[in-house]
Amino acid sequence: MYAFKFIKAHSIAQALQLLHHDENAKIIAGGMTLIPTMKQRLASPTSLIDLSAIPDLHHIQLHDRFIEIGSLCTHDQVSKSSLILEHLPTLAKLASMIADPQVRFKGTLGGSLANNDPAADYPAAVLGMGGTIKTNVREIKAEDFFQGMFTTALHMDEIILSIRFPLGQRASYQKFRHPSSGYALCGVWVSSSANEKRVAITGVYPCVRRWPQAEDHLLQNKSAPSFESTPIDLENILATHDASAHYKAQLMRVLCSRATQEVMP
Ligand SMILES: Cc1cc2nc3c(=O)[nH]c(=O)nc-3n(C[C@H](O)[C@H](O)[C@H](O)COP(=O)(O)OP(=O)(O)OC[C@H]3O[C@@H](n4cnc5c(N)ncnc54)[C@H](O)[C@@H]3O)c2cc1C
């Protein structure tokens, strides 16, 4: 590892001031992605601005129509919060499926969304539920937030403060873990409310995305349908040496059926 400054910010204002002061500075939350990236020299910030001591970023609050989760909440906290277990149990389950206990104790919701790994789990929940990402300057709808592989709508000096997850949906998340990394080879989130069905796919494309043909199929059926002949955009699938486009497409179909059976029995 090379030399860099490590500064603990105690407020958002201080973190922003530090970011403006050094154009090569980077925010650090859990460090679960940033530190390995630095070790591999894929990133070499001159200073790290640690958000962990900022008190306003650790809350989990129930509102009338949504639950707001502070960006610094760890996967472990999300998986065990009594409020989330009661009102968004599928989100708690998804958090418990991320990596291993060590990563879940350090990795954060905000860090995962800002990183936008194509195989990360939370993006499927945020897009699948129609969540909103609140930053120090604006509120960004999930549809506008995830823009491409490791790319989001965040500007250089924008910090995620919290994420709002709407209530009143039945949901299921089905994940097929990569046997070595634990990341999603394919993850399917299905949400159903009185007037909307949403299907979000992670692990398959360069960026999380909805599967509109499956959503239409769900709207046309009262009970859980099969997705055997639902069209899939094969061309843009991120095929790897261990998972071809056809294999990932088949996983999408199978996992979507399983998720739908839970949501629309
Ligand atoms: C061995 C291993 C296995 C893993 N398996 C999985 C898995 O199965 N599923 C999964 O989804 N993830 C997995 N992860 C990723 C992990 O869960 C973390 O979510 C992820 O590493 C990022 O969170 P972090 O808090 O550690 O962010 P950091 O590493 O601290 O930061 C990541 C990036 O986000 C930026 N950032 C952080 N917080 C904010 C903020 N509040 N506002 C703006 N920008 C911010 C940083 O500047 C940096 O660019 C795994 C990681 C490891 C090391």
Side-chain angles (χ1 to χ4, degrees):
M1 193 62 103
Y2 57 91
F4 56 87
K5 284 188 200 154
F6 185 90
I7 311 160
K8 223 178 227 313
H10 293 279
S11 67
I12 292 293
Q14 188 194 1
L16 289 169
Q17 199 182 29
L18 290 163
L19 270 179
H20 288 146
H21 187 69
D22 177 357
E23 63 175 23
N24 292 318
K26 251 192 165 315
I27 287 167
I28 184 164
M32 290 295 97
T33 292
L34 188 52
I35 299 292
T37 312
M38 288 169 68
K39 281 185 178 167
Q40 291 168 358
R41 298 291 195 269
L42 295 170
S44 29
T46 40
S47 22
L48 291 182
I49 302 160
D50 179 18
L51 301 181
S52 65
I54 303 179
D56 316 345
L57 305 179
H58 297 265
H59 59 286
I60 299 177
Q61 279 166 357
L62 177 64
H63 296 260
D64 278 352
R65 290 165 184 242
F66 59 86
I67 283 193
E68 181 168 286
I69 306 179
S71 64
L72 261 281
C73 286
T74 63
H75 314 328
D76 184 65
Q77 284 173 298
V78 173
S79 72
K80 294 177 181 162
S81 149
S82 52
L83 264 186
I84 299 176
L85 282 164
E86 184 182 344
H87 296 279
L88 298 172
T90 311
L91 184 69
K93 184 178 155 207
L94 175 148
S96 75
M97 292 160 91
I98 297 174
D100 47 50
Q102 289 86 344
V103 172
R104 290 198 292 276
F105 272 117
K106 292 297 290 179
T108 67
L109 172 57
S112 174
L113 298 183
N115 192 49
N116 195 20
D117 189 300
D121 297 289
Y122 277 130
V126 176
L127 187 63
M129 271 194 270
T132 304
I133 292 99
K134 198 174 158 198
T135 75
N136 53 311
V137 284
R138 56 187 170 146
E139 290 180 7
I140 312 172
K141 286 194 184 331
E143 269 79 2
D144 303 321
F145 183 81
F146 302 106
Q147 298 197 336
M149 191 186 270
F150 296 109
T151 308
T152 69
L154 288 175
H155 298 141
M156 291 301 282
D157 55 353
E158 203 166 0
I159 298 177
I160 301 177
L161 305 182
S162 62
I163 296 85
R164 290 179 174 171
F165 293 92
L167 298 170
Q169 307 178 2
R170 286 176 63 87
S172 171
Y173 180 64
Q174 301 291 324
K175 173 179 182 178
F176 188 86
R177 294 167 72 97
H178 190 289
S180 66
S181 74
Y183 275 93
L185 207 50
C186 175
V188 178
W189 180 285
V190 174
S191 272
S192 171
S193 63
N195 44 17
E196 201 182 20
K197 311 280 177 227
R198 294 171 74 106
V199 179
I201 307 291
T202 189
V204 173
Y205 295 101
C207 179
V208 64
R209 59 149 87 173
R210 286 169 72 179
W211 184 9
Q213 294 90 343
E215 293 175 356
D216 290 345
H217 198 44
L218 283 175
L219 279 172
Q220 287 155 17
N221 288 275
K222 288 222 159 55
S223 55
S226 153
F227 295 88
E228 227 18 73
S229 50
T230 310
I232 291 182
D233 167 16
L234 279 174
E235 208 171 293
N236 291 307
I237 288 182
L238 198 60
T240 48
H241 68 281
D242 48 8
S244 67
H246 285 280
Y247 179 68
K248 286 194 167 183
Q250 186 59 16
L251 282 176
M252 271 170 70
R253 293 201 160 97
V254 171
L255 297 182
C256 195
S257 291
R258 286 184 194 164
T260 306
Q261 276 158 19
E262 279 191 14
V263 170
M264 304 165 67

